[in-house]
Amino acid sequence: DIQLTQSPSFLSASVGDRVTITCRASQGINNFLAWYQLKPGQAPKVLIYVVGTLQTGVPSRFSGSASGTEFTLTISGLQPEDSAVYYCQQLYSYPLTFGGGTKVEIK
Amino acid sequence: AQLLESGGGLVQPGGSLRLSCTASGFTFNNYAMAWVRQAPGKGLEWVSSISGNADTTPHSDSVKGRFTISRDNSKNTLFLHMSSLRAEDAAIYYCVKCASTCQHQWFDSWGQGTQVTVSS
């Protein structure tokens, strides 16, 4: 199984900050990686897929990138509504595994 | 796309439950679907996927032999048949629409989830 190591597990930042979440895969996944946002009481939603493609309707302050087996979600200009838990997921091979999650708190 | 789960509830260990997901807003049989769960205080876990014509149905090792995914394309409905339930199966179960297939694509729509509690 492909393991995804996501870091940090928690971060606290101020409105306007640039924040970065990292997801490291245990083997190559050919860029089949997506990022999801979970908020309490809401359906989860996809933010970015295939490493860097922004889902329609997602603000452009969200971006994704990759370097080998290390993947990054960046929020440029953190907003209050970005308080959530973020997960990466590999869709290269079954089982389709998720990272452990990153809780983002607004100071 | 809209996905509405139902069928969750309280079940005793060893019991069975069937979850349903009614889909609308897209041509259901053209898309693979999946179930993802989140146990209390834990992260997301993929449970199972099913292709549009139901010929491919991978399951996670943690549920293999106990859970079965299926679909009724005539009723735009996805199912998860769960048996021999264990305490560790307690979770919110999300119905998910895949962008096309699930593998090599992404999960582009999620339901609100249905709660499954396993307790005596």
Side-chain angles (χ1 to χ4, degrees):
Chain A
D1 297 1
I2 296 173
Q3 311 300 321
L4 295 180
T5 303
Q6 193 173 333
S7 61
S9 56
F10 175 84
L11 72 85
S12 182
S14 300
V15 171
D17 283 354
R18 176 186 173 99
V19 302
T20 298
I21 299 169
T22 298
C23 181
R24 185 172 288 108
S26 59
Q27 63 188 77
I29 58 172
N30 205 21
N31 287 346
F32 291 116
L33 186 112
W35 291 95
Y36 303 91
Q37 180 190 64
L38 272 73
K39 293 182 178 181
Q42 296 185 19
K45 73 173 190 179
V46 62
L47 299 174
I48 288 170
Y49 54 89
V50 193
V51 174
T53 303
L54 206 62
Q55 172 76 340
T56 302
V58 173
S60 59
R61 63 180 178 274
F62 291 92
S63 63
S65 63
S67 177
T69 57
E70 185 168 296
F71 303 86
T72 301
L73 172 70
T74 300
I75 310 174
S76 301
L78 192 67
Q79 297 299 305
E81 59 268 30
D82 300 334
S83 176
V85 182
Y86 295 83
Y87 290 89
C88 58
Q89 182 201 23
Q90 67 82 19
L91 298 109
Y92 177 66
S93 67
Y94 284 106
L96 305 179
T97 45
F98 290 88
T102 297
K103 183 173 183 177
V104 174
E105 175 192 89
I106 310 298
K107 285 181 182 175
Chain B
Q2 293 196 354
L3 304 169
L4 183 62
E5 303 96 337
S6 61
L10 174 64
V11 61
Q12 292 187 342
S16 299
L17 208 57
R18 188 185 77 165
L19 305 184
S20 300
C21 172
T22 303
S24 60
F26 63 100
T27 305
F28 185 66
N29 63 311
N30 282 354
Y31 295 90
M33 301 290 292
W35 290 97
V36 173
R37 69 185 181 183
Q38 184 174 29
K42 303 292 186 181
L44 298 175
E45 179 189 11
W46 168 78
V47 174
S48 183
S49 297
I50 185 168
S51 59
N53 62 4
D55 64 349
T56 306
T57 57
H59 292 72
S60 69
D61 284 348
S62 61
V63 307
K64 199 171 293 182
R66 301 186 300 119
F67 291 12
T68 301
I69 193 172
S70 65
R71 63 192 297 161
D72 184 340
N73 285 344
S74 70
K75 297 182 179 178
N76 288 359
T77 304
L78 176 72
F79 301 102
L80 185 67
H81 307 259
M82 304 186 294
S83 62
S84 302
L85 281 159
R86 307 166 180 166
E88 56 265 33
D89 296 317
I92 298 172
Y93 284 75
Y94 294 103
C95 170
V96 175
K97 171 185 171 292
C98 299
S100 172
T101 60
C102 293
Q103 189 177 10
H104 297 177
Q105 296 289 322
W106 58 95
F107 293 177
D108 69 356
S109 295
W110 298 60
Q112 296 270 7
T114 187
Q115 180 76 53
V116 172
T117 302
V118 183
S119 175
S120 54

